[in-house]
Amino acid sequence: MLRSKDLLGIKDLTPEEILYILDTASNFKDVLKRDIKKVPPLRGKTMVSLFFEPSTRTRTSFSLAAKRLSADVVNFSVSTSSVVKGESLQDTALTIQSLGADFVVIRHSASGVPYYLSRILDISVINAGDGANEHPTQALLDLFTIQSHKKRIKGLTVAIIGDIAHSRVAKSNIYGLTKLGANVRVIAPPTLMPVEIEKLGIEVYHSVEEGIKDADVVMTLRLQLERQAKGFLPSLEEYFNLYGLTPERLRLAKKDAIVMHPGPMNRGVEISSEVADGPQSVILEQVTNGIAVRMAVLYLLGVRK
Amino acid sequence: MTKKELMDKNEINRALKRIAHEIIERNKGTENLCLVGIQKGGVLLAKRLASIIESIENRVIDVGMLDITFYRDDIHTSMKQPVVKKTEIPCSIDDKTVVLVDDVLFTGRSIRAAMDALIDFGRPAMIQLAVLIDRGHRQLPIRPDFVGKNIPTAFDEHIEVELKEDGKDDRVLLIKSKKRKKNIK
């Protein structure tokens, strides 16, 4: 049972709600394997995506998910919309609601925008990434991918390497993984590690070699090149030398550890091509699972009333 | 709430055996036959029917299971949160005779949804319907081909089929609730 009309973050979900979404997603994954990859439950519903930041996979994934559920999809492109004429966020959102949308999927560079919209709109608001706050569907698809490989989440050791400070993916995953009982380690240079992050119930490492040891899951994050202008790092080469996921470092994790990356990848910065394309990588599977998980979210929010 | 037993273990057994024979007779054997149980009550019954048919004909029958949640027409009006169960169609259903199996036939809406779901998997030569209980009150033009027992009921009564695979004794119960509750299956 989902309590809220919106999906704003993993922080707001109970462990039961997370597992309910994952269970439902596994049925949608079966649907995606059929010849006819479409089911009718959201016939007559409309999803509008409103992206104030660039995205290819998340937006495409949401669109496909909605279409597989027989909903109509409108992609609202901010650069060609009235936003550039100075329309306020609130007016844009209310306009979309009045156009008859049932779901608005929003990405914004400012944390809290989805929450703000959820308060003024009656329709379901789904957070597709807000600032450095949360990216809940990415965490759900990561949890789904981990569960389908490891058959459980509880008790696993998950190492998250990279720009923890700017990463909404890391944040959502930390909430989700700890709620489901995994041991989470975060690994980053001190400049990219938020202060007091250990208060979320996780372990903090500054050395990859130490943090990755005996991990069941190794998650690398994209180094957000667009946010590095402030001089957090001496150079990208140095970052790769100290924090890049290489085959040598991966060997320190458990033999059957899986390697994950939310994409898009900077090969040779946070991950080497050998690892990204190697046998332990489940990166492309994450993309496929993303559709199933987003179908589950849309479906469960769509049938709530 | 009052409960009344409508069928016991032996009666259920006999009904299933008769239905198994009828399916074989109607289809002149079991070639091209596939049983598909509707989640959740129909799945166990389909498996039982298949094993009876197999013991009569000495031939393995394909058995599938179908979850109809995504195809229901009451999903936006019913209050319950959906719990989706497994769908598994083990063979191609193209040009097969598919026998849909369910425990209770009531309004016919589940069967309508099941037919829509099934057709997304292929084009069967024929779809037939086997149910353990037909309790009447159809809201759609749907008629079963094989019936275990016809039981006239009031609209607000409820029929429960309990099976030993679920850890209970085999039996069919009629449940009358004191509160008037709309119960659309």
Side-chain angles (χ1 to χ4, degrees):
Chain A
M1 173 72 79
L2 299 187
R3 293 162 307 155
S4 169
K5 74 174 172 64
D6 311 296
L7 178 67
L8 305 177
I10 303 294
K11 195 182 182 181
D12 313 319
L13 298 177
T14 63
E16 292 73 32
E17 286 177 311
I18 296 173
L19 292 172
Y20 182 39
I21 295 170
L22 300 185
D23 281 349
T24 308
S26 72
N27 291 292
F28 285 117
K29 186 148 191 204
D30 291 343
V31 170
L32 294 174
K33 289 180 194 152
R34 299 181 193 166
D35 281 345
I36 299 178
K37 298 177 180 56
K38 201 172 177 119
V39 285
L42 294 189
R43 221 151 44 95
K45 302 269 177 181
T46 304
M47 182 197 92
V48 174
S49 74
L50 183 58
F51 277 54
F52 290 86
E53 276 190 331
S55 158
T56 44
R57 78 199 62 222
T58 304
R59 187 174 203 155
T60 311
S61 180
F62 264 111
S63 296
L64 272 175
K67 287 179 183 186
R68 301 290 192 224
L69 293 167
S70 307
D72 295 312
V73 176
V74 180
N75 287 320
F76 203 86
S77 177
V78 170
S79 57
T80 58
S81 73
S82 296
V83 172
V84 295
K85 296 180 188 168
E87 187 175 55
S88 74
L89 181 63
Q90 173 168 356
D91 287 338
T92 304
L94 288 170
T95 303
I96 288 172
Q97 175 164 284
S98 301
L99 285 169
D102 301 282
F103 308 94
V104 58
V105 176
I106 180 150
R107 168 169 291 186
H108 202 286
S109 57
S111 301
V113 165
Y115 172 76
Y116 166 70
L117 290 186
S118 74
R119 302 288 299 270
I120 52 178
L121 298 179
D122 301 321
I123 61 178
S124 290
V125 176
I126 300 171
N127 182 0
D130 63 329
N133 181 34
E134 282 226 41
H135 189 352
T137 56
Q138 178 69 43
L140 288 168
L141 78 88
D142 290 341
L143 293 169
F144 183 84
T145 307
I146 295 170
Q147 196 173 45
S148 65
H149 277 272
K150 301 289 173 194
K151 308 292 166 222
R152 68 193 169 111
I153 305 260
K154 205 179 165 118
L156 293 179
T157 298
V158 181
I160 306 177
I161 312 171
D163 184 353
I164 310 292
H166 296 103
S167 177
R168 53 198 176 209
V169 175
K171 199 84 72 55
S172 289
N173 264 307
I174 290 168
Y175 289 133
L177 286 163
T178 50
K179 277 177 197 235
L180 297 186
N183 307 312
V184 181
R185 302 173 182 170
V186 289
I187 308 165
T191 48
L192 297 178
M193 186 73 81
V195 287
E196 301 201 329
I197 186 133
E198 67 281 356
K199 292 200 169 155
L200 293 175
I202 58 178
E203 295 169 46
V204 173
Y205 291 86
H206 297 301
S207 145
V208 177
E209 285 76 8
E210 286 171 26
I212 207 173
K213 201 170 176 305
D214 296 326
D216 298 283
V217 177
V218 181
M219 205 181 275
T220 48
L221 300 173
R222 183 173 74 90
L223 190 69
Q224 304 193 21
L225 303 175
E226 68 273 20
R227 297 193 226 265
Q228 300 306 332
K230 288 178 192 153
F232 294 116
L233 299 170
S235 73
L236 296 180
E237 289 73 24
E238 177 156 337
Y239 182 79
F240 182 72
N241 284 337
L242 286 171
Y243 289 95
L245 188 61
T246 58
E248 296 73 42
R249 292 197 171 116
L250 183 56
R251 270 196 283 278
L252 300 171
K254 283 210 183 123
K255 228 191 239 158
D256 61 347
I258 54 170
V259 173
M260 305 175 75
H261 191 296
M265 280 187 281
N266 299 307
R267 289 169 184 259
V269 179
E270 68 264 3
I271 190 166
S272 74
S273 281
E274 282 158 281
V275 173
D277 305 328
Q280 285 166 276
S281 164
V282 296
I283 294 170
L284 291 175
E285 211 184 305
Q286 286 174 269
V287 179
T288 314
N289 291 342
I291 303 177
V293 162
R294 292 184 175 107
M295 285 173 84
V297 168
L298 288 166
Y299 172 71
L300 292 175
L301 293 177
V303 300
R304 243 184 105 255
K305 274 156 272 176
Chain B
M1 200 173 73
T2 59
K3 287 186 182 183
K4 190 180 146 201
E5 186 172 289
L6 299 173
M7 285 175 98
D8 64 14
K9 192 169 110 191
N10 292 328
E11 288 171 290
I12 291 174
N13 249 329
R14 277 182 223 121
L16 289 176
K17 276 188 188 147
R18 175 174 51 75
I19 292 174
H21 279 284
E22 283 174 358
I23 290 173
I24 300 166
E25 190 184 12
R26 171 87 61 92
N27 294 295
K28 301 188 170 64
T30 57
E31 214 176 325
N32 259 339
L33 200 66
C34 171
L35 299 190
V36 173
I38 299 173
Q39 289 280 17
K40 141 168 194 285
V43 174
L44 295 173
L45 292 173
K47 285 182 184 156
R48 282 204 201 176
L49 277 175
S51 73
I52 299 170
I53 293 173
E54 280 167 7
S55 69
I56 300 167
E57 293 286 292
N58 277 322
R59 187 179 183 147
V60 177
I61 306 265
D62 285 317
V63 191
M65 53 182 95
L66 196 61
D67 185 279
I68 57 164
T69 314
F70 300 144
Y71 294 83
R72 297 182 75 109
D73 57 8
D74 61 350
I75 203 85
H76 298 289
T77 48
S78 94
M79 297 302 286
K80 275 203 249 154
Q81 279 274 305
V83 176
V84 187
K85 300 206 175 59
K86 190 117 193 108
T87 291
E88 205 172 84
I89 307 291
C91 55
S92 161
I93 58 165
D94 286 338
D95 301 318
K96 292 264 175 68
T97 295
V98 176
V99 182
L100 281 174
V101 182
D102 206 354
D103 51 0
V104 180
L105 178 60
F106 182 28
T107 60
R109 287 176 191 268
S110 298
I111 306 303
R112 195 279 311 159
M115 287 193 287
D116 278 354
L118 198 60
I119 280 163
D120 277 354
F121 284 89
R123 186 182 185 278
M126 190 185 280
I127 300 177
Q128 297 172 351
L129 175 60
V131 296
L132 183 61
I133 307 289
D134 181 352
R135 59 168 291 197
H137 301 285
R138 216 77 76 241
Q139 294 170 346
L140 296 171
I142 279 168
R143 172 188 58 77
D145 298 274
F146 313 101
V147 182
K149 192 171 186 179
N150 283 294
I151 297 173
T153 56
F155 191 84
D156 58 355
E157 286 169 337
H158 182 68
I159 297 236
E160 211 164 279
V161 177
E162 297 184 338
L163 297 172
K164 66 168 185 286
E165 289 90 333
D166 286 329
K168 293 172 176 161
D169 286 336
D170 279 0
R171 58 180 187 164
V172 178
L173 296 171
L174 177 72
I175 296 170
K176 290 181 195 186
S177 71
K178 287 220 173 84
K179 267 188 297 180
R180 237 186 114 76
K181 205 171 97 194
K182 213 175 162 193
N183 202 343
I184 297 174
K185 197 174 142 47

